[in-house]
Amino acid sequence: GRISRPHHITLSEEELCNLGIARDASRFVFSYPIATAQDLQVSEKESRVADIAFLVFGGYMYFDSDMVLKDVRAVVPVEEGGLCFGAPQQWLPEWSTAAGVDRWCPVTLPSLRALGVRYFSWLLPDEVVDGSTLCRNGGFAYIFHEPTEIGVLQARLDVFFQIVTKEATRSSYESSSVPVGHYADLFDQLHGKYRQ
């Protein structure tokens, strides 16, 4: 599988404790889902099994300062969601190549592919892309075309979502943040907006 570049943990000690992540973890990576030639047929019940979810949806791997693996957490789409997205934001066309074309992974979720989403990428916390700092806690970018395609009509649909904390969801993001399990709903809303 593929992983992102390692990054220092941005969560507070209390947040790490609340999530049950090893206290000596100091760095983390996002592990991308397994890309297969055919859709992975996974039931809703199976998608809640951490090992299956890790393969199908990806997850986070936590390391100590010597890069010794300390913890692994799958992204499991659930109603209550521990991981929440902020409001959708426009992904600028020039960012796809500026971020590096080799970082984009094929979308594995049939619900997103059905909407036309082709590739996605984990955005590191405070990552700078083409002079813009995008996400304080990291996030995900989704594009509707090949990463190397420039000037295509589909690029106007490209979007990214910041990861926000539960506290942020109760304040400024309350009306627009959703648990990870509902991100297909956000794409439906965006898709409808751009069709009109």
Side-chain angles (χ1 to χ4, degrees):
R2 291 179 54 182
I3 61 172
S4 68
R5 292 190 325 258
H7 193 275
H8 69 276
I9 290 178
T10 58
L11 299 173
S12 69
E13 196 169 308
E14 180 183 350
E15 289 170 313
L16 284 175
C17 184
N18 289 341
L19 293 170
I21 296 170
R23 293 184 80 116
D24 57 346
S26 61
R27 301 185 68 71
F28 77 103
V29 298
F30 179 75
S31 179
Y32 288 91
I34 300 298
T36 60
Q38 295 181 335
D39 286 347
L40 295 174
Q41 301 298 317
V42 178
S43 70
E44 185 176 334
K45 181 180 177 182
E46 292 169 331
S47 73
R48 294 177 191 269
V49 175
D51 293 341
I52 294 172
F54 190 82
L55 294 174
V56 176
F57 305 119
Y60 297 92
M61 301 169 69
Y62 296 89
F63 301 88
D64 67 12
S65 58
D66 295 322
M67 290 303 289
V68 174
L69 183 63
K70 293 296 180 177
D71 212 336
V72 176
R73 298 294 164 133
V75 172
V76 180
V78 292
E79 295 276 333
E80 59 276 6
L83 186 62
C84 294
F85 286 131
Q89 298 176 62
Q90 179 87 34
W91 179 262
L92 298 180
E94 59 270 19
W95 291 350
S96 296
T97 53
V101 294
D102 59 334
R103 75 181 296 163
W104 297 97
C105 288
V107 167
T108 56
L109 294 175
S111 60
L112 295 183
R113 289 209 319 248
L115 293 170
V117 183
R118 303 274 305 277
Y119 292 90
F120 82 105
S121 181
W122 164 249
L123 302 171
L124 294 170
D126 295 321
E127 182 173 356
V128 177
V129 177
D130 202 30
S132 297
T133 302
L134 302 179
C135 307
R136 180 183 151 339
N137 294 310
F140 291 95
Y142 297 88
I143 61 174
F144 290 74
H145 53 89
E146 292 294 322
T148 54
E149 292 179 318
I150 298 171
V152 295
L153 186 60
Q154 295 91 334
R156 69 187 180 114
L157 299 172
D158 297 348
V159 66
F160 74 99
F161 299 91
Q162 291 190 54
I163 301 298
V164 296
T165 63
K166 293 272 188 196
E167 291 74 32
T169 64
R170 287 191 286 268
S171 60
S172 61
Y173 289 104
E174 188 160 9
S175 64
S176 58
S177 67
V178 295
V180 155
H182 296 284
Y183 55 90
D185 295 340
L186 284 175
F187 279 102
D188 273 337
Q189 292 168 13
L190 284 172
H191 197 61
K193 173 183 161 190
Y194 287 115
R195 270 192 305 220
Q196 297 174 5

